[in-house]
Amino acid sequence: IAMQLVCGLLLVLVPLEDTSLSMCISYTLSMVLTLVFLKLYTSRAMPQIEPIKRSRAGFNPILLLAGVIFIFALSIVLSPLEELMPVDNSMYDDSVWTLIMVVVIAPIFEEILFRGKLYNMLRISASPLTSVVLASLLFGAVHLEPIIAISGLPWGLLLGFVYLRSRSIIAPIILHMFNNALAYATIVLSYDDKSIVELIDGERYFL
């Protein structure tokens, strides 16, 4: 909640003519402030917290391929819900700043926050499964979109499993980037009114 409030406040305090650039800057600053706060808090209140894992195992092609397959499968399963609860994409455009924000910056910061910091904080007093589930619920809740809040659990479980399996934050970041790149492509290519099933059946391609 605080992260969303900071992001909104920064949008007001940094009134740029380029809306996408303003959103990119405010989002980045809000995430930096959030991670800095958590770093200061955990260094004092939770000195036993484990560091975020990073290793070459995050580039495991089999694990990443399995994640990509799950992304498409989840999109197909959630297609009926997407028709009932459409996502408002009006704030996004085809600018380079939007591309950088949703495909690069957001996956990096959000995975460090949810699969890294928050998961490790929860692990101090909870099991790995419980920690992954709670981090996934929080991940869905902060997006403030009904369909994302619902899909946040299975999506977060996937990324949490990948993080535990690979012992590297790199793998969930790559999968998050892939998913957001697909979402960005559907908006830019004006396919946002079609389901993933229609896109696949229509032999469309993504940027």
Side-chain angles (χ1 to χ4, degrees):
I1 296 174
M3 182 179 67
Q4 294 287 346
L5 291 175
V6 171
C7 186
L9 180 62
L10 288 172
L11 276 174
V12 176
L13 296 178
V14 189
L16 301 177
E17 292 185 4
D18 189 334
T19 304
S20 58
L21 174 58
S22 180
M23 287 181 57
C24 185
I25 292 175
S26 62
Y27 175 83
T28 302
L29 289 177
S30 68
M31 291 300 292
V32 169
L33 291 174
T34 300
L35 291 175
V36 168
F37 169 77
L38 286 178
K39 177 65 176 179
L40 294 175
Y41 173 77
T42 54
S43 62
R44 294 187 178 185
M46 301 177 174
Q48 73 274 36
I49 191 173
E50 294 184 4
I52 299 174
K53 298 179 176 65
R54 301 182 301 273
S55 72
R56 294 182 179 179
F59 296 101
N60 185 327
I62 297 178
L63 193 61
L64 292 176
L65 178 59
V68 169
I69 293 174
F70 185 88
I71 289 173
F72 280 107
L74 181 60
S75 297
I76 293 173
V77 171
L78 293 176
S79 290
L81 287 178
E82 292 174 357
E83 296 177 2
L84 295 175
M85 296 180 290
V87 178
D88 181 13
N89 293 319
S90 59
M91 68 181 70
Y92 302 112
D93 54 30
D94 59 355
S95 70
V96 66
W97 294 114
T98 298
L99 173 65
I100 292 173
M101 181 179 68
V102 302
V103 179
V104 180
I105 297 176
I108 293 175
F109 278 118
E110 290 181 9
E111 291 312 307
I112 291 175
L113 175 59
F114 292 99
R115 250 60 62 182
K117 277 292 183 182
L118 288 180
Y119 171 80
N120 288 342
M121 291 170 65
L122 292 167
R123 274 292 290 120
I124 295 178
S125 57
S127 67
L129 178 58
T130 301
S131 299
V132 168
V133 171
L134 291 177
S136 302
L137 290 172
L138 290 171
F139 171 74
V142 299
H143 285 80
L144 303 180
E145 288 281 359
I147 184 61
I148 299 179
I150 294 174
S151 62
L153 180 57
W155 174 239
L157 289 174
L158 164 68
L159 297 176
F161 171 78
V162 169
Y163 177 58
L164 293 178
R165 185 71 176 177
S166 65
R167 294 181 174 275
S168 174
I169 197 67
I170 296 174
I173 287 177
I174 292 175
L175 290 175
H176 198 150
M177 285 181 172
F178 178 79
N179 179 79
N180 283 15
L182 291 181
Y184 176 83
T186 59
I187 296 171
V188 173
L189 297 179
S190 299
Y191 293 154
D192 53 318
D193 61 338
K194 298 179 176 61
S195 68
I196 191 66
V197 178
E198 293 171 324
L199 290 174
I200 294 174
D201 290 344
E203 298 182 356
R204 306 297 185 182
Y205 63 89
F206 296 97
L207 293 176

